[in-house]
C-alpha cells in the first residue's frame, strides 16, 4: 500500500496540503505513511491522491477534499476501494494522460521529488553514469545531434550545435546555465518539471556540462517559483551527498559545482543575454549579439544556456539513444513537446505529445474542446512572443516550421485557448500591455514602440480608433521587428500581426463601426431592454449600481445609455432574457 | 590583424578584420547615424540608428537581418549599405518614436514663429548681459535692419512668447530696437563678407525684402544692384510707415550700412519704363523681383472715383516719404479698414490737422488685425472707431466726397480663421459727413513691367515654394509681390534671407531649395508655469497724446536706461535648447522626412535635476542612450548614474536613488561631453 498526494504549487493551491494533512491524521495509528508527488498535469482534477493498493493497482482519486479523508483512510485500511469509487478518475479524464507520450515529464506526478532514491529507483542518474564511464564529450554531442533535440525555450535552435560551439570555444573555465525564468503568461511546464522531478534537470545539466567542458552549472529560476527553488535546492544537496555533484563525479575526472540563482522578477531575463547580465548582478538588459554566449557569456567566459525542458530530455536520450528520440516527430521537429494548455478549455493542464500531432489533437482530443459548449475561436501559441492561430488552421501540425508558417511560433509551450467571447483586439492589447511593461527600456524600438502600440490598441478598444490605425500598427510592427535589440522586442509585434492577419474584420468593426463583435470591449457595448419581453419586475433596476434603469412596476423598463456603465449585471439578473447587449 | 576590404555605400574601405563596421565607416569619413555609440565605451546597441544591411557577406549572400553597425564586425568582402529602403524605414521609425517621447523645445516659440527665424533667445541673453554689439551680430545673421524692424514689427515672437503664461510676454521688438540703436551709436557691428565671386545679382525693389536679399548676397561675395522706382531706398518702411513710428534718420542709417557693404543702389528707376525686366536679366546671373504691393485695393463701392477718395498707401506715400504734410484742418476723414495701414492712415490724418477722423471697420476691436497698441494710441489721439460698419456707398457733391453711407453689420459664425465673420443687418444704414475717404483695406501688386512673369489667381507673382523661382529662368521673386500677397515686413525679410541662400546655391551651380527644418516643440500652457516667479513687463514710455498728435516725432520715448533694458531682457525663460546647434538627435531627425505626430502619445516628463556638481540633467530630453551611465562607470570610474524603472518609464537617476552618492561626482564633465542631446547642461 502506497499513498501519495500530488503537491505541485498548483495542487497545493487547490488544497492538496490540507488533504495530505487530513489523511496523515486519519492514518496516524495505522502506520501507513502519506507520501508526496509532484504535478501530474491535470489541473482541473486537483487535488489528486494516488493510491497503490495491496495488489499494486493504482486508484487515482481526484478533486479530493479534506472531507473525503476519513473515507479514503478507511478504504486504505481495508483495501476496499468501493467506498471511494465516486472519487476515482473517469476513463474519459484518464484518456488525457493515456493519449500523451511523456519523456520530459516521465516522472512528474509519479515519484517523490524530495527523494533522490525515488529518482534513482526510476532509473535516474544511470545516464550520467553511462556518460562518465563509457562516453566522450564528442559522443554525447553526437548522440544529441542524432536525437534532433532542439531548444525548447522557444527558438528551437539545435541543442548539439550550441553545445558543440561552447565545447569548441577557447577557455579553461566554462559555464552551463539553465534558463528557468519561465515568464510567459499561461506557461508552467518548467515549474512542473522542477517541482516534480528536479533530478531530471540536474542530471541533464550535468551531462550538458560534461559535453561542453563546463565545471560550473547554474540554474536561473524566477523568484516567483519559491517551491521550485526549495525542491531544487534540496535535490542539489542530495545529489552532492550522493556524489553526483562536486569533485570527480562518480570517480571520473569530471567535476562540476551547481548552484541556483533566483531572478528578481524581470520577464526580459528569460532572454539569454539579459539573464547573463542579471546573473552577474547587473540590471537585466540584453547584450548585443555577437558575441554569442558560447564565445563570451557569463563573466565573458564560454557559456551555454538551455531551457529546463531541453535538459529534461537529455538523460532519456542518453539512456534510450538518440535514434529512439528522433523516431518520434516530423522530419524537422523531433521528439516530444510539452504544452501548458489553458484558457477556455475543458481539460487544461500539461500535455506532452510527439511532434507531428495537430493542434486539433491537443485541443479537442486531449483537452476535450471548449468549455460551456462555446465555439473555438483561436489559440495563442508562445505567449507574448507568439501569435494566434485561428479555427480554420486547427489541423496545423505541431512542428517548428509548420507553426512558423501561420505567423505564430512553437514557443516554450504556452497554449491559451480562446472561444467566441474573446475579443482579439483585447487579446492583442493584453499581450502588448505585458510586453510594454516588461520591456527593459534599453532599445528605442521596444521601449517606445511597444508603448505606442499599446496606446493605439487601447484607443481602438475604447472606441477611439482612427482610420489608418491598422496600417499604422502594421508599420510599427515591422519597424519594431527589424529594429529591436532582443527577442522580446523583435517578437512583441507577433500577437498584433497575427490578430490583424486573421481577425482584421474585428479591428475594422472596432474602428469603423465602433462595435466589438465579441462583446468584450465595454466602451463599445450598449445594453437594451426589449419592451415586449420585459415584465416590469424591477430586478434589473435594483441591481443596477449606476441607477441607469428606470421604469414603473409591471411596465417595461428602459436603460439610460449616458448613465449606464455597461457592467452587465442587469442582463445577468434578468429572468426573462429581455436585456440584450449589442 | 589581417587587413581586409569591405564596401560601405559603394566606398571601398580597408580595415582590420573584426573591426566594427561603424568604426570602419568613421575612419573612412562615412557618417552612419548613431546616438548611443562613443569611442570610449563598448558598443551598446540601444538607439537602433546605425542599422545596416549586409548586401553581400563576401560569398554572394545577403544577410536576412538588419544589423547594427556599432556591433557588427567587418569580414572580408562585406558589401554594406546604411541607406537602403529597409534601413531607412527602421531608422525613420526609431527617430519618430524618439521624437514622440521627446519633451523639449529645440528653439523657443519666439524664434520658431519669427518668419525670419531671428534667434531671439540668443540676442535677448546678449542684451541681458549688456552685449549690444553681440546682440546685433546675432540679429543681423537673419535681418539687416534691426533698429527699423524693432520699431515697426508686429512681433509674432512676442505673441508666442511663453512668458505670457507667467504674466506678460517680453518686449522683444523694442529690446531689439534698443540694442540696434546702441550699436549704431558707436562701433557699429559690420559682418565680414566673403571674397568676390564675380557673379552679378540684380534686385528689383529696395524695400525690406530687396535690401535684405542684397545684404546677404553681398556678404556671400556676389555683386548686387538694387533698382527702385522711388527716390530713396526703403520701400514701404520709408513710404508706408509714418515717421512717428519709424524716424527716417534711423532707416537712413541702417540702409547706409547695407550700401557700405558695396551694394549698388539705382533709384528713380521704374521697371518697364526706365529699364525692362529682360534688360536686367541679360546683364545679371540672377534676378530677384521684390517690387512689393503698392496698389491700394478697391472697396468696390459706388463713388470711389470721387475727388477725396484715396488709397491708404497713396495717402501715406508723399507724407511719409517727403515729410511734407498736407493741411487737413477743418476736414473730416473716414479711414476704411482695420489693419496697420488703416492705423497709420488715421493717425497721420490726425497729425495733418483733420477735424475728425473715423475708422470704419466691419467687425469689432477684437477682430482687428492691427496691433492693439496702435488702436489704443489712435483712440488716445482722438480717432473715432465705427465698429460693425461697412462702406456701402461714397456719396459726392459736385464730384467731391460729401458723405459715406455705412451698412451696419453684426457678427455671425466663426470663419475658417476662427474670426467671427460680419453679416449685414438688412436695411440698417448710417451716414457720416466726410470730406475724405481713405481706403486701407489692403494692397496688391502693380503688375506693369512684370507682364511676362506668370501670376497667381490673385494677380501676384507666382514663386515656387522653397526655391522662389518664377516662370522665367534665373528670375526669383519674394516679398509682398508674391503668392499670398502683402504681409508684414519681417515676412518679406524671411523670404529674402532664405532666397539669398537659394540664389547663392543657384549661382554655385546646384540649386538647393529651402526646407523648413523639423524641430521638437513642447505644448505648454499657464499651468506649466505656476511655480515661476512673476516679473512685470517694462512698459515703453510714450509721449503725451495731446502733444504727439501734432507732430511726426517718434511716439515711443525709448527705455529709460540700460538697467531697465537688461532687466527686461533677463525675463526670458530660455525655452530653446542650449544644444540645438550640436544636437545629434535633431540632426538625424532632419536627415529624412519624419512624422512623429502619428505616434503621438504619452510623454515621459520628469523634473529637471541639479544633483551633480555642475551639470543639470533634464530627463525629458533624455533618449536613454546610456552614455552618461556608461562613461561615468567605465571611464570616470565613478558609477554615479544608473537606469531606474522599466519599459517606457525607465529613467536615468543617481544609483539607488541616493542623493549622497552624487557627492562622488568629480565634475569631469565627460558625461556632458558625450550626451548626444541637450539632456545634460552645464550650470
Amino acid at each position: 500500500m502506497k499513498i501519495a498526494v500530488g503537491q505541485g504549487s498548483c495542487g497545493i493551491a487547490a488544497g492538496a496540503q490540507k488533504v495530505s494533512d487530513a489523511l496523515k491524521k486519519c492514518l496516524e495509528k495505522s502506520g501507513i505513511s502519506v507520501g508526496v508527488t509532484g504535478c501530474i498535469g491535470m489541473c482541473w482534477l486537483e487535488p489528486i491522491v494516488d493510491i497503490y493498493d495491496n495488489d499494486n493497482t493504482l486508484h487515482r482519486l481526484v478533486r479530493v477534499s479534506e472531507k473525503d479523508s476519513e473515507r479514503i483512510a478507511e478504504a486504505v485500511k481495508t483495501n476496499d476501494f468501493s467506498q471511494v469509487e465516486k472519487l476515482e478518475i473517469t476513463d474519459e479524464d484518464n484518456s488525457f494522460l493515456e493519449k500523451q507520450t511523456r519523456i520530459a515529464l516521465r516522472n512528474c506526478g509519479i515519484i517523490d521529488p524530495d527523494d533522490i532514491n525515488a529518482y534513482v529507483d526510476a532509473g535516474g542518474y544511470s545516464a550520467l553514469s553511462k556518460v562518465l564511464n563509457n562516453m566522450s564529450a564528442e559522443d554525447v554531442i553526437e548522440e544529441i545531434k542524432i536525437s534532433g533535440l532542439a531548444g525548447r525555450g522557444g527558438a528551437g535552435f539545435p541543442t548539439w550545435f550550441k553545445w558543440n560551439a561552447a565545447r569548441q570555444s577557447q577557455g579553461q573555465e566554462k559555464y552551463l546555465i539553465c534558463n528557468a525564468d519561465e515568464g510567459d503568461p499561461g506557461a508552467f511546464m518548467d515549474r512542473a518539471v522542477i517541482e516534480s522531478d528536479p533530478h531530471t534537470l540536474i542530471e541533464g545539466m550535468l551531462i550538458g556540462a560534461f559535453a561542453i567542458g563546463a565545471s560550473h552549472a547554474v540554474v536561473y529560476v524566477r523568484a516567483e517559483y519559491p517551491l521550485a527553488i526549495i525542491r531544487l535546492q534540496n535535490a542539489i544537496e542530495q545529489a552532492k551527498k550522493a556524489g553526483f555533484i562536486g569533485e570527480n563525479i562518480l570517480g571520473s575526472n569530471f567535476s562540476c559545482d551547481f548552484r541556483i540563482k533566483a531572478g528578481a522578477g524581470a520577464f526580459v531575463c528569460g532572454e539569454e543575454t539579459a539573464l547573463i547580465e542579471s546573473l552577474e548582478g547587473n540590471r537585466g538588459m540584453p547584450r548585443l549579439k555577437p558575441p554569442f554566449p558560447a564565445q563570451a557569456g557569463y563573466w565573458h567566459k564560454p557559456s551555454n544556456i538551455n531551457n529546463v525542458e531541453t535538459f529534461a530530455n537529455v538523460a532519456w536520450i542518453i539512456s534510450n539513444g538518440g535514434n529512439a528520440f528522433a523516431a518520434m516527430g516530423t522530419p524537422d521537429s523531433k521528439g516530444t513537446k510539452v504544452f501548458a494548455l489553458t484558457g477556455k478549455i475543458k481539460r487544461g493542464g500539461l500535455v506532452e505529445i510527439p511532434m507531428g500531432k495537430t493542434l486539433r489533437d491537443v485541443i479537442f482530443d486531449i483537452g476535450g474542446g471548449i468549455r460551456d459548449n462555446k465555439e473555438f475561436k483561436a489559440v495563442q501559441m508562445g505567449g507574448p512572443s507568439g501569435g494566434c492561430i485561428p479555427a480554420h488552421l486547427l489541423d496545423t501540425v505541431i512542428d517548428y516550421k509548420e507553426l512558423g508558417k501561420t505567423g505564430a511560433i512553437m514557443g516554450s509551450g504556452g497554449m491559451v485557448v480562446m472561444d467566441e467571447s474573446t475579443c482579439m483586439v483585447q487579446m492583442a492589447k493584453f499581450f502588448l500591455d505585458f510586453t510594454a511593461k516588461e520591456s527593459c527600456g534599453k532599445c528605442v524600438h521596444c521601449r517606445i514602440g511597444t508603448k505606442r502600440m499599446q496606446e493605439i490598441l487601447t484607443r481602438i478598444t475604447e472606441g477611439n480608433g482612427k482610420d489608418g490605425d491598422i496600417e499604422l500598427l502594421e508599420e510599427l510592427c515591422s519597424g519594431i521587428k527589424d529594429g529591436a535589440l532582443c527577442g522580446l522586442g523583435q517578437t512583441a509585434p507577433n500577437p498584433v500581426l497575427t490578430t490583424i492577419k486573421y481577425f482584421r474584420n474585428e479591428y475594422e468593426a472596432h474602428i469603423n463601426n465602433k462595435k466589438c463583435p465579441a462583446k468584450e470591449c465595454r466602451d463599445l457595448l450598449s445594453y437594451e431592454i426589449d419592451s415586449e419581453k420585459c415584465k416590469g419586475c424591477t430586478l434589473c433596476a435594483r441591481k443596477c449600481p449606476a441607477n441607469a434603469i428606470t421604469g414603473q412596476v409591471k411596465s417595461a423598463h428602459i436603460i439610460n445609455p449616458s448613465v449606464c456603465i455597461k457592467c452587465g449585471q442587469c442582463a445577468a439578473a434578468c429572468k426573462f432574457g429581455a436585456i440584450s447587449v449589442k | 590583424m589581417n587587413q581586409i576590404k569591405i564596401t560601405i555605400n559603394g566606398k571601398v574601405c580597408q580595415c582590420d578584420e573584426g573591426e566594427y563596421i561603424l568604426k570602419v565607416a568613421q575612419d573612412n569619413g562615412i557618417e552612419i547615424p548613431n546616438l548611443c555609440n562613443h569611442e570610449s565605451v563598448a558598443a551598446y546597441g540601444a538607439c537602433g540608428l546605425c542599422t545596416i544591411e549586409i548586401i553581400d557577406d563576401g560569398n554572394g549572400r545577403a544577410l536576412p537581418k538588419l544589423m547594427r553597425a556599432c556591433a557588427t564586425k567587418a569580414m572580408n568582402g562585406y558589401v554594406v549599405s546604411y541607406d537602403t529602403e529597409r534601413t531607412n524605414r527602421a531608422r525613420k521609425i526609431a527617430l519618430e518614436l524618439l521624437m514622440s517621447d521627446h519633451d523639449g523645445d529645440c528653439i523657443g516659440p519666439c524664434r520658431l514663429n519669427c518668419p525670419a527665424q531671428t534667434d531671439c533667445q540668443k540676442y535677448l541673453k546678449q542684451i541681458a548681459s549688456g552685449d549690444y554689439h553681440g546682440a546685433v551680430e546675432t540679429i543681423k545673421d537673419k535681418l539687416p535692419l534691426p533698429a527699423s524692424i524693432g520699431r515697426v514689427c508686429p512681433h509674432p515672437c512676442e505673441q508666442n512668447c511663453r512668458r505670457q503664461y507667467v504674466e506678460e510676454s517680453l518686449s522683444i521688438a523694442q529690446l531689439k530696437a534698443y540694442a540696434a540703436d546702441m550699436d549704431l551709436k558707436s562701433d557699429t557691428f559690420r559682418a565680414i563678407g566673403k571674397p568676390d565671386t564675380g557673379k552679378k545679382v540684380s534686385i528689383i525693389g529696395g524695400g525690406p525684402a530687396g535690401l535684405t536679399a542684397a545684404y546677404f548676397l553681398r556678404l556671400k561675395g556676389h555683386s548686387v544692384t538694387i533698382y527702385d522706382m522711388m527716390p530713396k531706398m526703403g520701400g514701404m518702411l520709408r513710404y508706408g510707415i509714418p515717421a512717428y513710428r519709424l524716424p527716417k534718420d534711423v532707416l537712413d542709417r541702417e540702409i547706409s550700412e547695407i550700401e557700405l557693404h558695396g551694394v549698388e543702389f539705382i533709384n528713380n528707376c521704374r521697371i518697364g519704363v526706365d529699364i525692362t525686366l529682360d534688360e536686367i536679366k541679360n546683364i545679371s546671373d540672377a534676378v530677384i523681383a521684390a517690387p512689393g504691393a503698392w496698389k491700394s485695393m478697391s472697396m468696390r463701392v459706388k463713388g470711389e472715383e470721387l475727388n477725396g477718395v484715396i488709397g491708404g498707401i497713396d495717402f501715406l506715400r508723399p507724407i511719409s516719404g517727403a515729410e511734407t504734410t498736407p493741411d487737413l484742418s477743418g476736414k473730416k476723414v473716414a479711414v476704411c479698414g482695420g489693419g496697420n495701414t488703416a492705423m497709420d492712415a488715421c493717425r497721420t490724418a490726425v497729425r495733418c490737422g483733420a477735424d475728425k477722423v473715423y475708422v470704419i471697420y466691419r467687425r469689432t476691436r477684437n477682430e482687428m488685425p492691427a496691433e492693439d497698441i496702435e488702436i489704443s494710441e489712435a483712440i488716445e489721439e482722438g480717432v473715432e472707431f465705427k465698429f460693425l460698419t461697412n462702406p456701402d456707398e461714397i456719396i459726392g457733391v459736385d464730384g467731391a466726397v460729401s458723405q459715406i453711407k455705412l451698412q451696419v453689420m453684426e457678427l455671425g459664425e466663426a470663419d475658417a480663421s476662427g474670426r467671427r465673420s460680419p453679416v449685414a443687418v438688412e436695411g440698417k444704414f448710417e451716414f457720416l459727413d466726410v470730406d475724405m475717404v481713405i481706403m486701407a483695406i489692403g494692397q496688391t501688386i502693380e503688375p506693369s513691367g512684370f507682364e511676362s512673369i506668370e501670376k497667381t489667381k490673385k494677380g501676384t507673382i507666382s514663386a515656387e515654394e522653397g526655391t522662389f523661382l518664377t516662370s522665367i529662368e534665373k528670375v526669383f521673386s519674394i516679398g509682398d509681390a508674391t503668392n499670398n500677397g502683402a504681409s508684414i515686413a519681417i515676412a518679406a525679410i524671411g523670404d529674402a534671407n532664405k532666397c539669398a541662400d537659394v540664389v547663392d546655391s543657384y549661382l554655385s551651380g546646384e540649386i538647393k531649395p529651402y526646407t523648413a527644418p523639423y524641430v521638437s516643440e513642447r505644448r505648454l500652457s499657464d499651468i506649466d508655469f505656476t511655480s515661476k516667479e512673476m516679473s512685470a513687463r517694462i512698459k515703453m514710455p510714450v509721449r503725451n497724446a495731446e502733444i504727439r498728435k501734432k507732430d511726426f516725432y517718434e511716439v515711443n520715448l525709448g527705455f529709460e536706461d540700460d538697467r531697465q533694458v537688461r532687466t527686461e531682457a533677463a525675463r526670458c525663460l530660455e525655452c530653446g535648447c542650449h544644444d540645438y546647434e550640436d544636437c545629434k538627435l535633431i540632426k538625424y531627425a532632419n536627415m529624412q522626412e519624419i512624422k512623429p505626430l502619428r505616434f503621438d502619445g504619452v510623454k515621459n516628463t520628469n523634473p529637471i535635476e541639479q544633483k551633480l556638481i555642475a551639470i543639470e540633467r533634464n530627463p525629458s530630453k533624455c533618449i536613454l542612450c546610456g552614455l552618461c551611465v556608461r562613461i561615468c562607470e567605465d571611464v570616470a570610474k565613478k558609477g554615479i548614474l544608473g537606469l531606474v524603472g522599466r519599459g517606457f518609464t525607465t529613467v536615468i537617476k543617481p544609483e539607488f536613488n541616493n542623493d549622497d552618492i552624487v557627492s562622488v561626482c568629480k565634475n569631469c564633465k565627460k558625461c556632458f561631453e558625450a550626451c548626444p542631446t541637450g539632456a545634460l547642461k552645464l550650470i
Side-chain angles (χ1 to χ4, degrees), chain A residues 156-173:
Chain A
F157 204 74
T159 304
W160 76 269
F161 190 91
K162 279 170 83 167
W163 286 16
N164 197 42
R167 165 131 207 106
Q168 310 260 314
S169 205
Q170 301 296 316
Q172 286 295 311
E173 215 169 14

Side-chain angles (χ1 to χ4, degrees), chain B residues 87-106:
Chain B
T87 61
N88 289 347
R89 194 172 57 218
R91 193 173 297 128
K92 176 169 176 261
I93 284 204
L95 286 162
E96 287 176 329
L97 290 172
L98 277 171
M99 296 314 300
S100 78
D101 183 36
H102 195 76
D103 194 37
D105 287 306
C106 286

Side-chain angles (χ1 to χ4, degrees), chain A residues 423 425-426 429 433 454-466 469 506-507 509-516 520-525 566:
Chain A
C423 167
V425 188
Q426 282 285 357
K429 179 175 161 278
D433 283 345
Q454 181 206 20
E455 286 174 340
I456 297 167
L457 289 166
T458 303
R459 75 171 176 243
I460 293 174
T461 58
E462 288 174 350
N464 299 318
K466 292 185 270 196
D469 272 354
E506 273 193 46
Y507 279 82
H510 282 76
I511 296 168
N512 304 334
N513 311 331
K514 309 295 176 205
K515 284 286 163 206
C516 173
E520 194 185 338
C521 297
R522 200 178 261 203
D523 290 313
L524 304 181
L525 300 182
K566 296 155 186 175

Side-chain angles (χ1 to χ4, degrees), chain A residues 264-268 283 285-291 436-449 451-452 455-456 459 472 475-480 482-485 490, chain B residues 20 43-48 51 65-68 70-71 86 89-98 100-101 598-603 622-624 643-650:
Chain A
F267 174 71
V268 73
R283 178 184 164 88
M285 295 203 298
R287 287 181 187 168
L288 281 161
K289 287 194 282 195
K437 255 186 221 131
E438 293 295 346
S439 164
C440 77
K442 182 173 179 178
C443 77
V444 172
H445 290 88
C446 179
R447 179 180 76 241
I448 311 176
K451 174 74 183 174
R452 297 299 176 235
E455 286 174 340
I456 297 167
R459 75 171 176 243
L472 191 61
E475 198 190 330
L476 204 44
C477 286
S478 91
I480 294 170
D482 259 354
L485 185 59
Q490 287 161 9
Chain B
Y20 288 119
Y44 190 60
C47 73
T51 45
K65 271 191 166 182
L66 284 185
M67 311 294 275
R68 280 165 156 79
C70 66
R86 207 166 146 215
R89 194 172 57 218
R91 193 173 297 128
K92 176 169 176 261
I93 284 204
L95 286 162
E96 287 176 329
L97 290 172
L98 277 171
S100 78
D101 183 36
R598 54 203 196 115
F599 298 125
D600 203 20
V602 177
K603 287 188 180 194
C622 173
I623 56 164
L624 290 183
L643 292 149
V644 177
R646 246 194 253 168
F648 184 68
T649 52
T650 309

Side-chain angles (χ1 to χ4, degrees), chain A residues 18 32 43 59 78 88 170 176 298 351 436 444 516:
Chain A
K18 287 176 185 161
I32 301 167
C43 303
H59 299 271
T78 58
E88 293 227 21
Q170 301 296 316
L176 184 94
Y298 188 29
V351 177
V444 172
C516 173

